[in-house]
Amino acid sequence: MPVLPLTSPSYPNHSMASTPVSSRVPLIFRRLHRFQQMDFELALWQLSYLCLAPKRVYRNVYYHKQTKNTWARDDPAILVLLFGCLFVVALAWSTVYSYTVFDAVKLGFIMILRDFLLVGVVMATVIRLFANRVLLSPTSHSSPTDMSVEWAYTFDVHTNAFFPLFLTLYVAQLLLLPVILRDRWVCLLVGNTLYLAGFAQYIYGVYLGLSALPFLIRAEILLSPLLPLFASYVVSLLGFNVASHVLQAYFTS
């Protein structure tokens, strides 16, 4: 009895071509409208521990991989909470700069769509490419699906790393605005230290996210941007007010 082929040799990419475009979108984005199925309590717990003990958040990725066969989260509750936080902060910044209601809403969408989502898409793509080309362990797993970093997971890493930066540069900077914009060296020190802390937290968050994957090695390379970041910070203390220049460019563009 002849053995029949399971797939047609004439159409090797038939299954990929027949896959709907919507199914290629990460699950976390496809579920953004399902509010009743979101676990906001877990999302709040994760946001809290991203500031207090971020390593504990990444302990759950092993459980998620075992139960759902993916490293990335599929519950968009954390995205909804971040969107809400960004929009509220945008209203607060708009009050400080005497924006109209229309301009305040526009600023909210800019913070969500550009600052978080667009930057997240770019960072997730760059991090995934770098991790799959540089950090993969050649003998870690036998399954090919476990030997590559998912794009959805790197977007998760960006999301987790973004929240501490958000608290530092969007919230703390707003509260300290009367201080950091004054023409004194101590005020310059406070403002520049905020930016150092914010970006250092982001870099460290990316490192934690990728070091949590068991099939990646040399994740310490991801901490290398801390050196030029700190060097730039030291140079800026000679008289360059980072906060003043960034805010002027951000709110006058």
Side-chain angles (χ1 to χ4, degrees), residues 90-104 107 177 251:
L91 296 180
W93 279 100
S94 300
T95 302
V96 172
Y97 281 89
S98 302
Y99 277 10
T100 64
V101 175
F102 174 80
D103 289 334
L107 180 63
L177 197 60
F251 289 101

Side-chain angles (χ1 to χ4, degrees), residues 226-247:
L226 288 175
L227 183 59
L229 176 65
F230 185 75
S232 301
Y233 166 75
V234 173
V235 173
S236 70
L237 296 181
L238 298 177
F240 184 80
N241 192 322
V242 176
S244 177
H245 286 81
V246 170
L247 293 177

Side-chain angles (χ1 to χ4, degrees), residues 5 20 27 39 95 97 131 136 143 162 177 196 219 224 235:
L27 192 59
D39 191 347
T95 302
Y97 281 89
L136 280 182
S143 174
F162 180 85
L177 197 60
L196 172 69
S224 57
V235 173

Side-chain angles (χ1 to χ4, degrees), residues 24-81:
R24 303 177 192 177
V25 178
L27 192 59
I28 192 173
F29 292 117
R30 283 184 275 144
R31 293 184 174 180
L32 272 173
H33 64 285
R34 302 180 183 179
F35 292 99
Q36 295 180 348
Q37 300 178 9
M38 299 181 189
D39 191 347
F40 288 102
E41 183 178 351
L42 176 61
L44 286 171
W45 178 89
Q46 291 177 337
L47 290 178
S48 300
Y49 274 91
L50 284 173
C51 302
L52 302 175
K55 289 184 179 180
R56 292 191 59 179
V57 177
Y58 286 107
R59 292 176 186 172
N60 293 334
V61 300
Y62 298 99
Y63 174 78
H64 204 272
K65 178 63 176 177
Q66 292 173 354
T67 56
K68 300 187 178 181
N69 196 32
T70 178
W71 296 102
R73 61 166 62 98
D74 56 356
D75 185 358
I78 194 170
L79 294 184
V80 175
L81 291 178

Side-chain angles (χ1 to χ4, degrees), residues 43-228:
L44 286 171
W45 178 89
Q46 291 177 337
L47 290 178
S48 300
Y49 274 91
L50 284 173
C51 302
L52 302 175
K55 289 184 179 180
R56 292 191 59 179
V57 177
Y58 286 107
R59 292 176 186 172
N60 293 334
V61 300
Y62 298 99
Y63 174 78
H64 204 272
K65 178 63 176 177
Q66 292 173 354
T67 56
K68 300 187 178 181
N69 196 32
T70 178
W71 296 102
R73 61 166 62 98
D74 56 356
D75 185 358
I78 194 170
L79 294 184
V80 175
L81 291 178
L82 275 174
F83 293 165
C85 290
L86 284 166
F87 199 82
V88 170
V89 168
L91 296 180
W93 279 100
S94 300
T95 302
V96 172
Y97 281 89
S98 302
Y99 277 10
T100 64
V101 175
F102 174 80
D103 289 334
V105 173
K106 179 181 176 182
L107 180 63
F109 280 106
I110 288 176
M111 287 185 175
I112 294 172
L113 298 178
R114 184 188 67 186
D115 297 3
F116 176 67
L117 287 177
L118 180 59
V119 172
V121 168
V122 174
M123 290 301 301
T125 303
V126 172
I127 294 170
R128 179 178 180 270
L129 290 174
F130 181 81
N132 285 332
R133 294 187 179 184
V134 179
L135 305 181
L136 280 182
S137 174
T139 58
S140 56
H141 290 270
S142 58
S143 174
T145 58
D146 287 340
M147 292 188 64
S148 63
V149 181
E150 308 166 0
W151 186 91
Y153 181 77
T154 55
F155 188 84
D156 269 356
V157 171
H158 160 75
T159 300
N160 295 339
F162 180 85
F163 185 66
L165 180 145
F166 161 78
L167 292 179
T168 303
L169 297 185
Y170 289 75
V171 179
Q173 184 177 205
L174 176 62
L175 298 176
L176 295 173
L177 197 60
V179 175
I180 62 179
L181 293 183
R182 297 182 66 179
D183 190 16
R184 292 185 180 181
W185 187 86
V186 175
C187 300
L188 179 146
L189 173 66
V190 173
N192 291 7
T193 302
L194 277 179
Y195 279 84
L196 172 69
F199 287 107
Q201 287 171 316
Y202 186 88
I203 294 169
Y204 182 66
V206 171
Y207 159 74
L208 285 181
L210 293 189
S211 63
L213 298 180
F215 54 88
L216 296 184
I217 58 175
R218 302 186 301 271
E220 295 78 11
I221 298 176
L222 296 167
L223 295 175
S224 57
L226 288 175
L227 183 59

